Amino acid sequence: MPWLLDLYRQSVLQFPKVTLVVATLLILLLSQGAKHFELDASADSMILENDQDLVNYREVSDRFGSSESLIVTYTPPWPLFSESSLTLLRQIRDDLKLLPRVESVNSLLDVPLLENPPVPIAELITNIKSLDDANTDIELAKEELASSPLYNNMLLNLEKNTTAIQINRPSDNKHRELTKAREDLWTKRDHQGLTPVQINELARLNQNIKDLNAQNSAVLHQDIKAIRALLKPYQGQAQIFLGGVPMIADDMITYVESDMVTFGIGIFLFLILILVLIFRRIRWVLIALLCCSLTVVVMVGVLGLLNWRVTVISSNFVSLLLIMTMSMCIHLIVRYRELHAEQPDATQKELIKETLDHMFKPCLYMALTTMVAFNSLLFSGIRPVIDFGYMMGTGVIVALCLVFVLFPIFTLLMGRRSEAVNAKQHSPMTDVFANITLKHGPKVIGANIVLFVLLVVGLAKLDVENSFINYFHESTEIYQGMKVVDENLGGTTPLEVILTFPVVDQDWDEEENDDFFFDEEEDQEDDSLKYWFTTEKLERIRAVHNYLDEQPEIGKVTSLATMVQVAEKINGEALGSFELGLLYGAIPPDFKAIVLDPYVSPEVGQARINLRIYDSQPDLKRSLLLKRIEDDLQEKLGLKEDEFMLAGMMVLYNNMLQSLFASQILTLGAVFIGIMVMFMVLFRSWRLAVIAIVPNLLSAGAVLSVMGWAGIPLDMMTITIAAITIGIAVDNSIHYIHRFREEFAVVKNYRQAVSNCHASIGKSIYYISITVIVGFSILALSNFIPTIYFGTLTGLAMLIALVQVLTLLPQMLIMFKPLGPEPMAVKTEDELPQGSLPES
């Protein structure tokens, strides 16, 4: 649309002050949304959208209770059962109970003691004590708790002198109701379709759940701060750590929030330094920083207005936006300085107009291809990854608009001034790359063939396994707490195996056994539930329990079989169906909530086997473990597919990881197809499109290959590196080829055109790449391991992309001659004097 470009030029160049006022008002308006900008620390930000296993997980949590409690590990300097240790433990527990939003606290002091002293099972109801009871025998309690399958290596580890305090927060009934309503609409959408009213209702539910997640995350964060503050005075008296699954998500977002501020400022200061070193003029530093700062401000406002919350996955969007905006600014500044040196008599307006005319098209192409790269993340199926793609796609457009409005206005208002001497100089490094390309072309091709082979082998080694504990440095409290729980208290990541039985067991003879139960006034519903307990069900539960207990990756396993094992020890013989029903009726409600309700639900005919995985095992393969459990339950134990189900946070996290792996293939395929099409449209030459795509393909593949060779797993943050690499590296290819076509049209010689490009656009590419590489390397100073990987790998990817664009890309242009043959009369590179490169 030529008329639109004419309107743009006239507005910016003829009325810069008016345009600046309008742009300022628009920026101020959009920035108002910044007050609604939020981070999302909810567990929903790390799971797949519309995952059936998520539905199962919530049903299991509603039925049996959630396994996601906060855990305090307590290792006193005295023996665990000494008076000093128990007194301090009691103080901590009682203080925790007083905190708001703490529903209950379970500790060594609260659990039922069934052998204090041992009595027949029929007398158990009158014999149950706890350590809080004054007449409890401490030595008997120590012996029972240390050897009990219910508590050993879960509640306490006597060998390590460590115990755990479980902090249970109240259930969120409102969240449960909203998610249930949304799941019902999801199901209807997938099978029948939705009416317009139902579509609006689904959008409303999504928004309400998002708002509630943000609210709950803020409350959880405050609760964790309160618990930490409460525990701090006690940490001088004993070794105390806070851990648990809810704390992982909260600490992750805390680190991310800190990194956003710290490294955003760090990268901003670094950009100032690099601009001063490159351009040596304060005006260019001010113009570039104003463009970058205002782009970030506007984008934060846009995110707030659109209610797009930043998660762990999208946490680096500020750094990316700063660097991409800076990239456009550097291209414009370098081109302006070249024209300034070439046209000493031109006016400021003429220089700016020619700069815009030369750079608008490649920068527009750059923005469009970068959007294609980031929008490829939509294939992931993970809502935060999808949102990140939308965020960055929107951010690129915001950056393009602001840079091409603000840069010419600021430059025009500052007037034409002298430039630093280095504006006319070659860059020594780009001369080195030019020499490599022009004098060692076959070696460049050979090196890239070797790179391709290594790339393929490395990609085959790429894995998606990761553990929460590896997200944090060893010096952090969460790492230390998770390590204590993992190694001393039966594992970290919860997993549930749900066994399904008939609700009513027809084998039970109600009339024959009715006289064995308690008085007639007992609740009839509770009495009928006793009929569900049979030896056949117990044997199936026990078989699955024992199988799981044998797996090396699995720590503590608890189930109904655990409780029965304790009861059989008390009874002195195996329990039959009658004794099982008697046991169910004998336990008081308070203790039943601890030892039975989490493991059986006779009302729906289900039993839960709760287990925890050793998260710190270096060779843990979640997907293989889950597959092995499913196969063995069917093949070795004879269960049918509808008689069991795997659930829990481990299943959800594994689904997310496996989706990442699959979506990475889709993402790369989609992005390269999309960019290939873009290149063919932009360059109108399939040869140029292929030449442009190859260096980017190798750059993205190389960084993923490095991850495979180094054993760095693909996870929720590193999945974005390939898209980011392509998005930024493709920009370099576009600018180089665009400039190459201009140079070739003048010199009609491929080697001369390459030399000229290295001396001009090559400088921009080099400056931008160094800025990106060092800027992202700053992230290596983070305390959050995924951020370190993200910064280091992205910097490495950009280094590879820089080398590829300044060596392989020009060598392919020379080899394949996509712009047609050279005229015979033009002097070739071989005829140039030895030891020198042609001047631009």
Side-chain angles (χ1 to χ4, degrees):
M1 295 182 288
W3 65 270
L4 186 59
L5 290 176
D6 290 340
L7 177 63
Y8 160 72
R9 290 192 191 98
Q10 290 175 8
S11 301
V12 171
L13 298 179
Q14 300 298 328
F15 308 101
K17 294 181 180 179
V18 174
T19 306
L20 181 60
V21 171
V22 173
T24 301
L25 292 174
L26 185 60
I27 290 169
L28 289 174
L29 179 64
L30 291 174
S31 66
Q32 296 304 305
K35 59 188 176 184
H36 303 296
F37 176 78
E38 292 180 348
L39 280 78
D40 186 357
S42 66
D44 284 1
S45 68
M46 294 188 291
I47 54 182
L48 288 179
E49 187 180 45
N50 200 10
D51 185 356
Q52 180 58 42
D53 284 314
L54 175 60
V55 177
N56 297 339
Y57 168 71
R58 286 176 174 151
E59 287 180 356
V60 170
S61 297
D62 292 344
R63 187 166 299 145
F64 296 99
S66 174
S67 57
E68 296 181 19
S69 304
L70 289 166
I71 302 294
V72 176
T73 67
Y74 171 74
T75 307
W78 320 283
L80 191 57
F81 283 87
S82 67
E83 184 177 349
S84 299
S85 294
L86 294 178
T87 299
L88 183 59
L89 178 63
R90 189 172 287 108
Q91 291 174 359
I92 297 172
R93 180 204 61 182
D94 293 344
D95 285 351
L96 289 171
K97 284 183 176 180
L98 296 176
L99 289 175
R101 294 183 296 275
V102 170
E103 187 174 62
S104 63
V105 177
N106 295 328
S107 72
L108 197 68
L109 305 166
D110 308 290
V111 295
L113 301 172
L114 306 178
E115 303 178 61
N116 204 280
V119 296
I121 194 169
E123 302 174 25
L124 188 61
I125 193 169
T126 60
N127 188 56
I128 297 177
K129 302 183 182 70
S130 71
L131 276 173
D132 266 347
D133 293 332
N135 58 345
T136 296
D137 187 314
I138 299 296
E139 286 303 315
L140 282 177
K142 175 181 176 181
E143 180 180 345
E144 177 182 347
L145 291 170
S147 61
S148 171
L150 274 173
Y151 310 125
N152 187 37
N153 287 332
M154 182 174 72
L155 179 65
L156 82 159
N157 185 324
L158 197 57
E159 183 180 342
K160 300 292 185 179
N161 204 48
T162 298
T163 188
I165 305 172
Q166 183 183 46
I167 304 171
N168 301 309
R169 302 172 73 247
S171 300
D172 188 347
N173 294 325
K174 184 177 180 181
H175 189 277
R176 185 182 300 116
E177 291 170 3
L178 291 175
T179 53
K180 181 64 170 65
R182 181 172 67 175
E183 287 158 7
D184 291 342
L185 285 176
W186 277 347
T187 302
K188 187 169 185 180
R189 178 191 63 186
D190 295 341
H191 293 88
Q192 303 172 17
L194 298 179
T195 66
V197 173
Q198 290 170 331
I199 291 173
N200 291 334
E201 175 65 10
L202 181 57
R204 186 189 68 81
L205 286 171
N206 284 330
Q207 187 58 52
N208 289 344
I209 291 171
K210 186 182 286 188
D211 293 339
L212 189 57
N213 283 339
Q215 177 184 328
N216 289 344
S217 297
V219 170
L220 173 63
H221 181 67
Q222 293 304 315
D223 289 348
I224 289 175
K225 285 180 64 176
I227 293 171
R228 280 176 163 157
L230 184 150
L231 295 175
K232 190 172 182 180
Y234 292 111
Q235 288 172 333
Q237 304 175 63
Q239 188 180 72
I240 298 172
F241 297 111
L242 180 63
V245 172
M247 186 173 161
I248 295 172
D250 183 74
D251 269 24
M252 284 169 63
I253 208 68
T254 299
Y255 282 119
V256 163
E257 190 172 12
S258 173
D259 286 350
M260 282 181 64
V261 176
T262 303
F263 295 113
I265 294 172
I267 290 175
F268 191 79
L269 294 175
F270 168 75
L271 291 178
I272 296 176
L273 175 62
I274 203 74
L275 287 170
V276 170
L277 293 175
I278 292 173
F279 299 122
R280 304 177 190 177
R281 288 293 183 268
I282 192 65
R283 66 179 178 276
W284 297 128
V285 176
L286 291 175
I287 289 173
L289 292 180
L290 277 171
C291 290
C292 290
S293 302
L294 292 174
T295 299
V296 171
V297 168
V298 169
M299 193 57 201
V300 168
V302 169
L303 293 181
L305 291 173
L306 296 177
N307 200 24
W308 280 347
R309 290 184 172 89
V310 172
T311 65
V312 173
I313 293 171
S314 53
S315 60
N316 290 306
F317 92 95
V318 171
S319 303
L320 284 168
L321 203 54
L322 280 173
I323 286 171
M324 287 192 297
T325 309
M326 183 62 67
S327 169
M328 294 184 193
C329 290
I330 289 176
H331 277 301
L332 289 171
I333 294 170
V334 169
R335 187 56 177 158
Y336 172 89
R337 279 158 47 103
E338 287 177 356
L339 294 170
H340 186 282
E342 294 170 1
Q343 304 174 26
D345 298 327
T347 66
Q348 181 74 337
K349 187 178 293 186
E350 289 171 341
L351 291 176
I352 294 172
K353 180 179 181 300
E354 193 166 348
T355 299
L356 297 178
D357 288 346
H358 274 88
M359 299 309 301
F360 179 75
K361 187 180 289 186
C363 285
L364 176 62
Y365 293 171
M366 177 188 80
L368 293 174
T369 52
T370 302
M371 287 180 63
V372 170
F374 280 111
N375 287 337
S376 66
L377 297 174
L378 273 57
F379 288 92
S380 70
I382 303 171
R383 173 48 54 187
V385 176
I386 295 171
D387 287 345
F388 179 53
Y390 283 132
M391 284 180 192
M392 293 312 304
T394 305
V396 170
I397 292 299
V398 169
L400 178 71
C401 294
L402 285 178
V403 168
F404 273 84
V405 169
L406 298 179
F407 177 86
I409 290 175
F410 291 148
T411 308
L412 189 62
L413 294 177
M414 287 184 179
R416 175 165 178 159
R417 302 183 184 185
S418 64
E419 288 298 329
V421 177
N422 70 342
K424 302 179 182 180
Q425 296 174 345
H426 285 223
S427 166
M429 282 306 302
T430 55
D431 283 349
V432 169
F433 285 122
N435 270 298
I436 292 172
T437 303
L438 296 173
K439 296 184 178 180
H440 305 282
K443 293 180 181 178
V444 170
I445 299 298
N448 278 278
I449 292 173
V450 173
L451 174 64
F452 180 75
V453 173
L454 293 174
L455 183 154
V456 171
V457 176
L459 288 177
K461 296 176 178 288
L462 192 63
D463 202 355
V464 293
E465 291 297 336
N466 208 347
S467 55
F468 290 125
I469 196 170
N470 290 331
Y471 283 166
F472 306 96
H473 276 303
E474 295 181 8
S475 60
T476 58
E477 178 190 8
I478 187 169
Y479 179 94
Q480 294 169 353
M482 290 173 68
K483 193 171 181 65
V484 170
V485 172
D486 204 57
E487 294 182 352
N488 299 342
L489 296 171
T492 301
T493 310
L495 174 65
E496 285 96 24
V497 177
I498 308 301
L499 301 180
T500 301
F501 302 92
V503 176
V504 178
D505 194 324
Q506 300 299 327
D507 294 333
W508 182 271
D509 189 336
E510 182 176 349
E511 293 183 3
E512 178 183 343
N513 292 288
D514 193 43
D515 293 338
F516 288 102
F517 292 106
F518 300 101
D519 59 72
E520 295 177 359
E521 297 179 2
E522 187 174 11
D523 184 85
Q524 292 299 313
E525 182 180 353
D526 288 342
D527 188 66
S528 65
L529 294 178
K530 301 168 189 174
Y531 294 95
W532 186 84
F533 292 86
T534 65
T535 54
E536 290 79 10
K537 294 186 180 69
L538 176 60
E539 286 308 312
R540 175 174 292 184
I541 295 170
R542 183 176 281 149
V544 176
H545 178 118
N546 292 340
Y547 161 77
L548 295 170
D549 205 23
E550 293 169 356
Q551 307 309 307
E553 303 94 337
I554 295 175
K556 187 65 178 180
V557 182
T558 51
S559 67
L560 176 65
T562 311
M563 182 62 197
V564 171
Q565 184 180 349
V566 174
E568 288 178 341
K569 180 183 176 185
I570 296 171
N571 197 48
E573 60 182 5
L575 301 183
S577 297
F578 161 69
E579 288 86 2
L580 289 172
L582 179 63
L583 178 66
Y584 180 78
I587 300 179
D590 290 346
F591 290 151
K592 186 181 292 184
I594 297 175
V595 299
L596 276 184
D597 289 350
Y599 307 114
V600 289
S601 179
E603 299 89 343
V604 295
Q606 287 187 338
R608 175 170 78 166
I609 301 176
N610 193 26
L611 54 118
R612 287 188 284 170
I613 307 300
Y614 289 125
D615 201 53
S616 58
Q617 268 197 357
D619 57 348
L620 176 62
K621 304 292 183 184
R622 287 180 180 79
S623 183
L624 293 179
L625 174 61
L626 293 173
K627 182 68 167 58
R628 188 173 78 233
I629 291 173
E630 288 183 341
D631 290 344
D632 287 351
L633 290 183
Q634 295 179 70
E635 296 170 8
K636 293 184 177 180
L637 301 184
L639 272 65
K640 297 177 182 177
E641 191 173 348
D642 60 351
E643 292 180 336
F644 72 93
M645 175 179 68
L646 303 187
M649 182 58 70
M650 179 176 170
V651 175
L652 299 178
Y653 187 55
N654 181 71
N655 288 353
M656 187 267 288
L657 291 175
Q658 298 307 315
S659 175
L660 288 178
F661 191 77
S663 68
Q664 185 68 79
I665 299 172
L666 286 174
T667 297
L668 289 176
V671 73
F672 281 114
I673 291 172
I675 289 178
M676 186 69 181
V677 171
M678 290 284 296
F679 280 167
M680 292 181 70
V681 172
L682 301 179
F683 300 136
R684 299 181 181 180
S685 165
W686 68 267
R687 288 185 179 182
L688 276 178
V690 172
I691 290 171
I693 204 75
V694 168
N696 298 287
L697 178 63
L698 290 174
S699 299
V703 73
L704 293 175
S705 178
V706 167
M707 292 173 61
W709 281 104
I712 299 172
L714 189 68
D715 64 14
M716 57 191 174
M717 288 189 71
T718 54
I719 184 183
T720 60
I721 289 175
I724 291 168
T725 302
I726 297 166
I728 300 177
V730 144
D731 302 348
N732 295 337
S733 297
I734 290 173
H735 280 285
Y736 193 96
I737 292 178
H738 186 269
R739 186 60 176 268
F740 182 86
R741 294 171 76 176
E742 292 181 349
E743 293 291 343
F744 185 80
V746 175
V747 301
K748 300 298 182 181
N749 181 278
Y750 283 95
R751 298 172 73 83
Q752 180 70 50
V754 164
S755 181
N756 291 353
C757 285
H758 274 65
S760 54
I761 195 65
K763 290 170 63 177
S764 296
I765 292 171
Y766 175 70
Y767 293 155
I768 291 165
S769 298
I770 292 300
T771 302
V772 174
I773 291 165
V774 181
F776 275 109
S777 297
I778 294 173
L779 299 178
L781 301 175
S782 172
N783 281 321
F784 190 47
I785 304 298
T787 298
I788 295 174
Y789 283 155
F790 179 84
T792 305
L793 291 169
T794 303
L796 175 63
M798 294 317 303
L799 176 60
I800 296 170
L802 169 65
V803 174
Q804 294 289 67
V805 169
L806 293 183
T807 57
L808 180 61
L809 176 63
Q811 181 58 35
M812 292 178 70
L813 289 169
I814 293 171
M815 285 180 60
F816 297 107
K817 296 180 170 49
L819 301 181
E822 300 171 345
M824 295 300 293
V826 177
K827 186 177 290 186
T828 66
E829 180 70 18
D830 293 336
E831 297 175 286
L832 294 171
Q834 287 293 322
S836 67
L837 291 171
E839 295 293 330
S840 60

